[in-house]
Amino acid sequence: MTNQVRIVEVGPRDGLQNEKMNVPTGVKIELINRLTACGHSAIEVTSFVSPKWVPQLSDAAEVFSGFTPKSGVRYPVLVPNLVGYERARAAGATEVAVFTAASEAFSEKNTNATIAQTLERFQPIFERAKADKIAVRGYVSCVLGCPYQGEIAIDDVARIARTLHLMGCYEVSLGDTIGVGTPNKARALMLAVAQVMPASAIAGHFHDTYGQALANVMASLEVGVRVFDSSIAGLGGCPYAKGATGNLATEDLVYLVNGMGMDCGLELGELAQVGAWISHKLGRENQSRAGRAQFAKL
Amino acid sequence: MTNQVRIVEVGPRDGLQNEKMNVPTGVKIELINRLTACGHSAIEVTSFVSPKWVPQLSDAAEVFSGFTPKSGVRYPVLVPNLVGYERARAAGATEVAVFTAASEAFSEKNTNATIAQTLERFQPIFERAKADKIAVRGYVSCVLGCPYQGEIAIDDVARIARTLHLMGCYEVSLGDTIGVGTPNKARALMLAVAQVMPASAIAGHFHDTYGQALANVMASLEVGVRVFDSSIAGLGGCPYAKGATGNLATEDLVYLVNGMGMDCGLELGELAQVGAWISHKLGRENQSRAGRAQFAKL
């Protein structure tokens, strides 16, 4: 197994879309530039969803054209459907991400469509993306539990992840959207999905609602998963998840990865600076423990 | 390996001694009673250190005689020397805990004695405790790093832990006092110590300063450690450790243990009530993510 860990920074999208305040476009752009300067290899920058659904992201095109991309860095954007895809492509995106759920109940509440309907909706996106040479990443949410449905069958997750991979996702990110998972379940899930698609194409996306995110990363690392999503300063949080905390904080993840002698190309020091800066800008408490520790006085 | 995990609640002592405010004796007593009602099998209730050193704990005897013990539950108290031991015994303690460090620099700063001198100081305690049929638990601090000395040699920790065990400690708690450890190091440490004393007599005591505590618990569980110290609502924190966060929160640990299908005899719901109550009493933010999640609104 490789010692290289790839971190996908989702703060600017998954993080900011769940913040209550309206974040100025300039702050979003500066955040992406600062994260780029930290050495990230992948930053999800925004979402081309309908402004009617998520007004916080109505400046998606402006954000996308505003930041300064660095050669070799991936800047995926979320797209819910073909309309979103076309907006993203027009803005100059070279990578998009599509999302569905492992829970029918969540899918219906969140996207007003069955899981099968969301997958159908993606078909023309995959076709166009192939022709346009645009990479597609996939998300599956609620993989370790659903706020409406409770338990989720591992086989359902594996089947949906495999379908996304077969349809054309180069990578499928498995999201514990409400942060209820614990390591044995995370490990069993990752092993099951790795049976039906390459382990190298699986990403773990853990939320820290119950403080379990890093333990679940550990369990995933042990079975060969090497890509993880995280959010600077722990920005974000699912609006449907109980609890104040959201995404796994990038700083905490980087501290773990580096401490284990693995390589993710990132250093805590610079990230902690960015985490402190954006927390200050948003007037919110820094949710990263490693980030806070970095700035605490002896 | 057994599926039983034993949790030693250290909030009333390790937690409250590091709180800045002066906690009323009545609150301390109520906390111990509430924790007892949750089903804890071991609660460290106070410390018989000199009131000159730690004025917050000058009410140790009052606390000890004030709470309502439950049959079968251990209520250890910390003692720094024979004077403290005698005070503890006079108060009715049936279990005491002694503490030293794996770092010479920390030992000198914290106790004004070399590690060897602290061990010497314990000799009469062990003798008296044996005669008095009082159980002795041991703590080794800074096992994964020291704020003054930096790196700590695993062999030093193993040697000191073994000495404490040979001297008479029925259990030795290995403390990552400043929370800098990561899972590979924690695992290597536990394996090394288990070479020189029974694994069943080792406890893990992790601080969550960098968010790594649960991942370190996971690594320790994997190599057979089954006893962990934690603090309700994450109370406490080492005054010498950078960062706002302190002990691993009992609620987060219990969520992990129960989620992994292991048994610790505790439930999140009741603990979360106590965690919320004591956080409110102390006017501090609840540091437990699981505890906060339990009370967050959908």
Side-chain angles (χ1 to χ4, degrees):
Chain A
M1 286 186 200
T2 171
N3 232 1
Q4 303 288 318
V5 169
R6 199 149 55 73
I7 294 177
V8 178
E9 170 63 49
V10 298
R13 196 279 304 174
D14 197 8
L16 295 187
Q17 92 173 49
N18 291 307
E19 290 297 318
K20 281 192 192 104
M21 75 175 276
N22 221 334
V23 183
T25 306
V27 171
K28 296 179 184 179
I29 290 169
E30 187 172 349
L31 176 61
I32 299 162
N33 287 339
R34 284 179 182 243
L35 290 167
T36 298
C38 288
H40 270 294
S41 61
I43 304 169
E44 194 175 69
V45 292
T46 188
S47 173
F48 286 86
V49 293
S50 166
K52 271 190 293 181
W53 295 356
V54 190
Q56 307 93 290
L57 296 173
S58 58
D59 58 359
E62 217 183 321
V63 169
F64 199 88
S65 60
F67 73 89
T68 308
K70 187 170 130 192
S71 168
V73 177
R74 317 182 82 115
Y75 296 99
V77 297
L78 208 68
V79 298
N81 50 35
L82 196 57
V83 174
Y85 173 85
E86 293 297 356
R87 284 177 61 212
R89 200 182 66 101
T94 56
E95 176 165 335
V96 298
V98 295
F99 58 95
T100 186
S103 153
E104 284 294 357
F106 191 87
S107 185
E108 307 241 359
K109 287 243 185 194
N110 199 34
T111 59
N112 202 25
T114 64
I115 296 168
Q117 283 167 343
T118 63
L119 295 174
E120 251 171 67
R121 198 182 281 168
F122 298 156
Q123 192 53 51
I125 297 179
F126 284 109
E127 285 162 18
R128 295 293 277 273
K130 197 174 176 184
D132 295 337
K133 296 194 186 354
I134 283 181
V136 185
R137 194 170 194 252
Y139 282 106
V140 186
S141 63
C142 295
V143 298
L144 291 170
C146 168
Y148 310 115
Q149 187 176 322
E151 292 284 317
I152 296 294
I154 280 183
D155 288 350
D156 288 347
V157 181
R159 186 174 39 77
I160 295 160
R162 179 167 190 264
T163 303
L164 281 175
H165 187 246
L166 289 176
M167 287 175 86
C169 288
Y170 76 92
E171 190 168 279
V172 179
S173 172
L174 305 177
D176 181 13
T177 313
I178 55 172
V180 293
T182 42
N184 283 355
K185 286 178 192 161
R187 187 188 293 112
L189 175 75
M190 294 301 179
L191 283 171
V193 178
Q195 293 285 314
V196 298
M197 61 179 278
S200 59
I202 302 173
H205 180 115
F206 297 108
H207 281 236
D208 215 11
T209 323
Y210 287 81
Q212 311 292 310
L214 268 193
N216 291 332
V217 165
M218 261 276 289
S220 306
L221 280 170
E222 285 172 358
V223 296
V225 175
R226 289 291 180 272
V227 187
F228 298 95
D229 301 348
S230 65
S231 177
I232 189 78
L235 290 184
C238 173
Y240 307 100
K242 281 168 83 182
T245 54
N247 285 281
L248 169 58
T250 305
E251 299 93 314
D252 297 12
L253 174 60
V254 165
Y255 190 89
L256 177 97
V257 168
N258 290 347
M260 291 181 77
M262 308 184 94
D263 178 27
C264 62
L266 295 164
E267 292 299 333
L268 175 58
E270 289 171 57
L271 289 168
Q273 299 274 359
V274 179
W277 170 80
I278 189 66
S279 298
H280 178 74
K281 280 280 174 196
L282 301 179
R284 93 204 288 282
E285 198 197 12
N286 191 339
Q287 294 296 318
S288 166
R289 299 200 168 193
R292 289 204 302 264
Q294 194 74 0
F295 286 103
K297 290 202 186 81
L298 255 182
Chain B
M1 287 184 201
T2 170
N3 233 2
Q4 303 286 320
V5 170
R6 198 149 55 74
I7 294 177
V8 178
E9 171 63 49
V10 298
R13 196 279 304 172
D14 197 8
L16 295 187
Q17 93 173 50
N18 290 306
E19 291 297 317
K20 281 192 192 103
M21 75 175 276
N22 222 333
V23 183
T25 306
V27 171
K28 296 179 184 180
I29 290 169
E30 186 171 352
L31 176 60
I32 299 162
N33 287 339
R34 285 179 182 242
L35 290 167
T36 299
C38 287
H40 271 294
S41 60
I43 305 169
E44 195 175 70
V45 292
T46 187
S47 173
F48 285 87
V49 293
S50 165
K52 272 190 293 179
W53 297 354
V54 190
Q56 307 90 290
L57 295 173
S58 57
D59 58 0
E62 215 182 325
V63 169
F64 198 88
S65 60
F67 72 88
T68 308
K70 187 170 129 192
S71 168
V73 178
R74 316 180 81 113
Y75 295 100
V77 297
L78 208 67
V79 298
N81 50 36
L82 196 57
V83 174
Y85 173 86
E86 294 298 356
R87 283 178 60 212
R89 201 182 67 100
T94 56
E95 176 165 335
V96 298
V98 295
F99 58 95
T100 185
S103 153
E104 284 294 357
F106 191 87
S107 184
E108 306 241 358
K109 286 245 185 192
N110 199 33
T111 59
N112 203 26
T114 64
I115 297 169
Q117 283 167 343
T118 63
L119 295 174
E120 252 171 67
R121 199 182 281 166
F122 299 156
Q123 193 53 50
I125 297 180
F126 284 109
E127 286 163 17
R128 294 293 276 275
K130 197 173 175 183
D132 295 338
K133 295 196 189 347
I134 284 182
V136 185
R137 194 170 193 252
Y139 282 107
V140 186
S141 63
C142 295
V143 298
L144 291 170
C146 167
Y148 310 115
Q149 186 176 322
E151 291 285 316
I152 295 295
I154 280 182
D155 288 350
D156 288 346
V157 182
R159 186 174 39 77
I160 296 161
R162 179 166 190 267
T163 304
L164 281 175
H165 187 245
L166 289 176
M167 287 176 86
C169 288
Y170 76 91
E171 188 167 278
V172 179
S173 172
L174 304 177
D176 181 11
T177 313
I178 56 172
V180 293
T182 42
N184 283 356
K185 287 177 191 163
R187 187 188 293 114
L189 175 75
M190 294 302 179
L191 283 171
V193 178
Q195 293 285 315
V196 299
M197 59 179 278
S200 60
I202 302 173
H205 180 113
F206 296 108
H207 280 236
D208 216 10
T209 323
Y210 288 81
Q212 312 293 310
L214 268 193
N216 290 332
V217 166
M218 261 275 290
S220 306
L221 281 170
E222 285 171 359
V223 297
V225 175
R226 289 292 180 270
V227 186
F228 298 96
D229 300 349
S230 64
S231 176
I232 190 77
L235 290 185
C238 173
Y240 307 101
K242 281 169 85 183
T245 52
N247 285 282
L248 169 59
T250 305
E251 299 92 314
D252 297 12
L253 174 60
V254 165
Y255 189 90
L256 177 98
V257 168
N258 290 348
M260 291 181 76
M262 306 184 95
D263 177 28
C264 62
L266 295 163
E267 293 297 334
L268 175 58
E270 289 170 59
L271 290 167
Q273 299 274 0
V274 179
W277 170 80
I278 189 65
S279 299
H280 178 73
K281 280 279 174 197
L282 301 180
R284 93 203 287 280
E285 197 196 11
N286 191 338
Q287 293 296 318
S288 166
R289 298 199 169 195
R292 289 204 303 263
Q294 194 73 0
F295 286 101
K297 290 201 185 82
L298 253 183

